[in-house]
Structure formats: structure tokens, C-alpha cells
Amino acid sequence: MDSAEYEGKIASRFAAFDQDGNGYIDREDFSGAAAALLAEFGVTARSDKGQALYSGAEAFWQGMAGIADVDGDQRVTRQEFITGAAKRLRDSPKRFAEIARPFLHAVIAIADEDGDGVTPAAAERVLVVLGTEPAVATQAARGLDGDGDGRITEEEILTAFAAYYVTPEP
């Protein structure tokens, strides 16, 4: 994949982070996603899981801002997102996964409703809440269960997350 194709891929991922559709990514997009996930799974914000999710969302925001918010205005524009990913993450997708890990770990704790791991159905709910089209969410959630055991591990999620957002493969 050449540089222009890669930047096009990354640009298409911008909307997934711009939860409120205002044209930039900011702290509120992350806290809004956390609130929506808590509501979907019936978890209160003041619970340990709720607090972990908000802390993870803040850590994810800080990590993204550190990579992409070039002008320091506490907003990541589409161009900053593309440039940040292209320059800082293309050759190191695991870095992006590590930035996302606290948030994803907390999401997993919320989505694992029975303590036996995240099911594809729960992963699908998460994806829909975060703005994925339902049909795409269904397919993606099934694809996350790499070993077909009906449960999705944190490593499977981190690997898929990094691949979707920053690796050059289509």
C-alpha cells in the first residue's frame, strides 16, 4: 500500500473517533464513548468498572493527543490524525495498541458480563455503540474470535484494533 492509500485508510478511521461529528477528536469524544458504553451495559459511572473506563478513556485521549495534537489546542483535526498515524504509528502499530490498552481493558471488563470472557455478541454491542454499522459490527465481532471458542481475548482485541487503525494492510 503506497503512502496516499495508507493516508486514505487512516482518514476513513477518523470518524470512528470523532464521536460527536464536530470535525475533530477531543477529550469529550472519549468520555462520550465511555458514557455510551456504560449505558449500553448497565454499569454505573461511579462503580469500579465505570471509573476504570473513564480513566482508560482519559489515558487513550492523552496518548492520542501526545501523538497527533501538533498545535497543542487539545483537539486532533483530521489532518493531525492522518499525519500522526502516518508518521508515528505506521511502523509501530503496537504503540497504538498500548495507548489504547487501558481503555480496551476497561471495555472488556464491562463487556464480559459473565466473567468468562467477551462473547462475539457483546463485542458486537460495543462496536455498534462506538458507531460501527450493525452489519459490519456483526462480521467484525465474529472475526475477533480467532480460535473459534466463543470468547475473545484481550490480545485478540488489541491486535485487531491496531491492525484496523494503523497498519498499512487494507
Side-chain angles (χ1 to χ4, degrees):
M1 177 180 289
D2 70 23
S3 185
E5 288 174 316
Y6 177 73
E7 287 185 16
K9 174 190 171 179
I10 297 305
S12 73
R13 306 308 191 234
F14 177 82
F17 284 108
D18 183 13
Q19 292 280 301
D20 57 15
N22 63 1
Y24 53 85
I25 303 166
D26 62 9
R27 177 176 278 111
E28 286 74 32
D29 290 309
F30 287 86
S31 61
L37 286 165
L38 292 175
E40 173 66 23
F41 287 92
V43 176
T44 63
R46 294 198 183 274
S47 69
D48 290 344
K49 287 182 179 182
Q51 290 298 298
L53 185 61
Y54 277 112
S55 293
E58 177 63 19
F60 195 2
W61 160 245
Q62 291 294 328
M64 181 179 287
I67 288 171
D69 184 17
V70 178
D71 61 9
D73 66 354
Q74 294 297 299
R75 295 179 181 183
V76 175
T77 65
R78 187 172 187 266
Q79 189 57 51
E80 284 176 323
F81 183 76
I82 294 166
T83 302
K87 288 186 177 176
R88 295 179 180 94
L89 298 174
R90 183 174 185 167
D91 296 325
S92 183
K94 289 188 179 202
R95 182 174 178 209
F96 190 65
E98 289 307 313
I99 291 167
R101 185 182 290 272
F103 178 71
L104 294 174
H105 183 77
V107 170
I108 291 165
I110 288 168
D112 180 3
E113 296 179 288
D114 63 8
D116 288 333
V118 177
T119 64
E124 181 179 344
R125 288 171 61 196
V126 168
L127 291 169
V128 169
V129 166
L130 296 178
T132 305
E133 293 295 323
V136 174
T138 300
Q139 182 180 4
R142 288 183 188 149
L144 287 171
D145 183 13
D147 59 9
D149 68 353
R151 300 298 171 157
I152 305 165
T153 68
E154 185 168 327
E155 284 309 311
E156 287 171 323
I157 290 170
L158 283 167
T159 299
F161 187 83
Y164 180 76
Y165 282 103
V166 299
T167 59
E169 292 79 28

